Amino acid sequence: MKGTIFALGALVLAATSGAASAQTMSYAQAGALIAKSCGPSIERFCATVNIGTGQMQQCLTQHQDQVPRQCFDDFTAVQTGIAKRVAAQADAGKACSASAQQFCSGVKPGDANILDCLLDSVKVVRPACKQTLVDAGWAN
């Protein structure tokens, strides 16, 4: 069961689409939320579904009259939260370019050195950069 629920992160990423919400979500948070609200239904109705195929949500939908509404609401929240986190990670270079030039000009690129510098400077980087680092899950 734990392996099944943990593997839901891959399923959620495969099914992710749509607009971003106000909060991002890690795969661990996503797995925990889905396990809490959907775990019993997954075990009961979808235990034989291969998680990597992206068919878990379809299986749950086929049994929607017996699956708690919270499961579907949480599934949507997970998809949206992970999509926003992935988008923030992809946009970090652009959003933090000016801050990187200002605070990390002497840092050798590669091996996440620029990211480490930005995280060390997170209290003084530009607000858009700081928000992107937070949304990406790299800063608090």
Side-chain angles (χ1 to χ4, degrees):
M1 165 64 179
K2 287 183 180 178
T4 300
I5 298 304
F6 183 75
L8 280 174
L11 160 76
V12 169
L13 181 60
T16 300
S17 65
S21 72
Q23 182 178 358
T24 68
M25 188 176 295
S26 71
Y27 292 112
Q29 292 166 326
L33 185 59
I34 295 297
K36 181 179 176 183
S37 62
C38 301
S41 297
I42 290 170
E43 285 183 344
R44 183 173 176 198
F45 304 114
C46 307
T48 61
V49 173
N50 183 346
I51 290 174
T53 64
Q55 296 177 351
M56 186 62 67
Q57 191 172 17
Q58 180 181 359
C59 176
L60 291 169
T61 301
Q62 289 173 349
H63 301 282
Q64 67 185 3
D65 56 331
Q66 298 168 299
V67 174
R69 180 73 218 158
Q70 189 64 46
C71 172
F72 295 106
D73 293 345
D74 289 347
F75 209 101
T76 299
V78 161
Q79 290 173 323
T80 303
I82 288 177
K84 184 174 181 190
R85 180 161 286 193
V86 168
Q89 290 172 352
D91 293 341
K94 182 179 177 184
C96 294
S97 176
S99 291
Q101 289 175 5
Q102 182 178 359
F103 299 107
C104 307
S105 62
V107 174
K108 180 181 176 185
D111 295 326
N113 293 334
I114 302 289
L115 177 59
D116 288 341
C117 174
L118 290 168
L119 293 174
D120 288 342
S121 306
V122 75
K123 292 184 180 183
V124 292
V125 297
R126 295 177 182 204
C129 177
K130 182 175 182 176
Q131 187 61 53
T132 299
L133 294 173
V134 169
D135 289 348
W138 296 325
N140 295 326

